[in-house]
């Protein structure tokens, strides 16, 4: 039996030395790529080839390669995380592409996510938004109550868990025509707002996180829904609506 034929691809990849230099697309050819390979494994092979040729490898972000950390954020053929749904880039496999295809690979495009190098962007804006209110003040170091001491409706618990599934990859920002982070912030507000542990500082939290989001330069939501479609964890637009309600309530109390 003959060996399975690999893919021969043309890659147009964004190269940029740093956020102060002007970037450009550079074209690379790669051959005999297994359809069983992941997208990041394909980039690993390309980088090995470049190193063997004495050229600088392409910088791209990755860590767990299990769809958990959200670091492998790439814009592939005009879509965040590439031509599949419900996955991160590390879960994208080369069987989604055709032999002879040209693949365009870019970093996230957002003023709030400046390019560090090549395909790597600085997403520390998300960290600063979380630091503004994405926490609870309950002492959890040895003084916690039994989990069943405060009943929580299953529907609320399920929604909170769904919101907490956000991995902060930034696909929502990259997919939004306004560069909005409201799906991310909405998910983080929701996971606390739905549970009693998060109600203590709920009003202060939403005000601080929305202010931090605006200060970082993210755009506003215009309800096109691209963020939900491209989110690898399927975070619902319902979380944006909940955040807006929390925000309006907090503003009303603030006077």
């Amino acid at each position: 039996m003959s060996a399975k034929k690999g893919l021969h691809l043309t890659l147009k990849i964004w190269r940029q030395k740093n956020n102060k230099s002007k970037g450009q697309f550079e074209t690379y050819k790669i051959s005999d790529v297994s359809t069983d390979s992941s997208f990041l494994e394909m980039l690993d092979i390309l980088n090995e080839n470049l190193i063997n040729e004495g050229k600088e490898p392409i910088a791209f972000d990755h860590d767990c390669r299990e769809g958990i950390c959200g670091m492998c954020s790439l814009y592939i053929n005009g879509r965040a995380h590439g031509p599949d749904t419900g996955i991160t880039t590390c879960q994208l496999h080369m069987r989604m592409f055709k032999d002879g295809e040209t693949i365009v690979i870019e970093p996230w495009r957002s003023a709030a996510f400046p390019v560090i190098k090549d395909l790597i962007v600085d997403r520390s804006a998300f960290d600063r938004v979380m630091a503004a209110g994405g926490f609870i003040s309950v002492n959890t170091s040895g003084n916690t109550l039994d989990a069943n001491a405060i009943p929580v409706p299953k529907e609320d618990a399920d929604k909170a868990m769904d919101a907490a599934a956000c991995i902060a990859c930034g696909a929502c920002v990259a997919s939004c025509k306004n560069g909005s982070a409201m799906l991310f912030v909405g998910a983080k507000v929701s996971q606390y707002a739905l549970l009693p542990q998060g109600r203590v500082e709920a009003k202060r939290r939403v005000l601080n996180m929305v202010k931090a989001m605006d200060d970082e330069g993210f755009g506003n939501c215009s309800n096109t829904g691209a963020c939900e479609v491209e989110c690898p964890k399927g975070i619902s637009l319902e979380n944006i609506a909940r955040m807006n309600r929390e925000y309006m309530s907090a503003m009303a109390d603030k006077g």
Side-chain angles (χ1 to χ4, degrees), residues 5-238:
K5 183 182 178 183
L7 301 175
H8 298 266
L9 303 165
T10 299
L11 307 176
K12 293 184 67 175
I13 302 177
W14 186 259
R15 303 300 305 264
Q16 187 171 336
K17 188 175 182 180
N18 53 53
N19 65 353
K20 291 183 171 53
S21 63
K22 185 177 180 180
Q24 63 182 12
F25 281 105
E26 294 187 8
T27 301
Y28 303 90
K29 299 284 188 179
I30 188 168
S31 301
D32 202 25
V33 176
S34 170
T35 54
D36 294 327
S37 297
S38 74
F39 197 85
L40 295 189
E41 287 171 336
M42 181 273 293
L43 290 179
D44 288 337
I45 294 169
L46 175 63
N47 274 344
E48 286 182 13
N49 294 342
L50 291 175
I51 291 170
N52 290 335
E53 294 169 6
K55 298 177 181 177
E56 186 175 7
I58 295 151
F60 64 94
D61 237 340
H62 62 93
D63 189 5
C64 74
R65 299 202 180 200
E66 295 179 342
I68 298 171
C69 71
M71 291 183 68
C72 59
S73 304
L74 296 177
Y75 214 66
I76 303 165
N77 284 351
R79 290 187 64 180
H81 294 301
D84 204 347
T85 55
I87 62 161
T88 53
T89 298
C90 65
Q91 296 172 302
L92 178 67
H93 283 80
M94 298 311 296
R95 55 180 169 269
M96 296 297 297
F97 302 93
K98 298 178 181 178
D99 188 40
E101 187 171 348
T102 296
I103 304 175
V104 181
I105 309 169
E106 305 171 71
W108 284 168
R109 301 294 191 181
S110 171
F113 292 158
V115 172
I116 296 175
K117 184 176 182 180
D118 294 342
L119 302 174
I120 301 176
V121 299
D122 181 357
R123 289 175 297 161
S124 60
F126 273 6
D127 297 331
R128 291 186 288 274
V129 172
M130 286 299 293
F135 52 85
I136 61 173
S137 58
V138 175
N139 185 351
T140 60
S141 57
N143 297 318
T144 54
L145 294 171
D146 183 86
N148 296 319
I150 305 176
V152 178
K154 185 178 187 305
E155 182 180 359
D156 290 346
D158 288 346
K159 288 180 178 178
M161 289 297 292
D162 289 344
C166 169
I167 57 175
C169 68
C172 51
V173 177
S175 302
C176 178
K177 64 181 181 180
N178 304 322
S180 173
M182 289 186 73
L183 191 67
F184 163 74
V185 180
K188 297 307 177 183
V189 167
S190 287
Q191 74 181 65
Y192 298 110
L194 286 160
L195 299 176
Q197 294 92 334
R199 298 312 301 172
V200 179
E201 59 272 285
K203 297 186 186 302
R204 183 169 70 252
R205 174 186 301 111
V206 70
L207 292 175
N208 289 346
M209 291 184 76
V210 169
K211 182 181 184 301
M213 173 181 69
D214 292 340
D215 290 345
E216 292 294 338
F218 292 107
N220 202 1
C221 175
S222 52
N223 291 311
T224 59
C227 54
E228 181 180 347
V229 171
E230 299 297 356
C231 174
K233 299 303 178 181
I235 304 298
S236 172
L237 287 174
E238 178 183 308

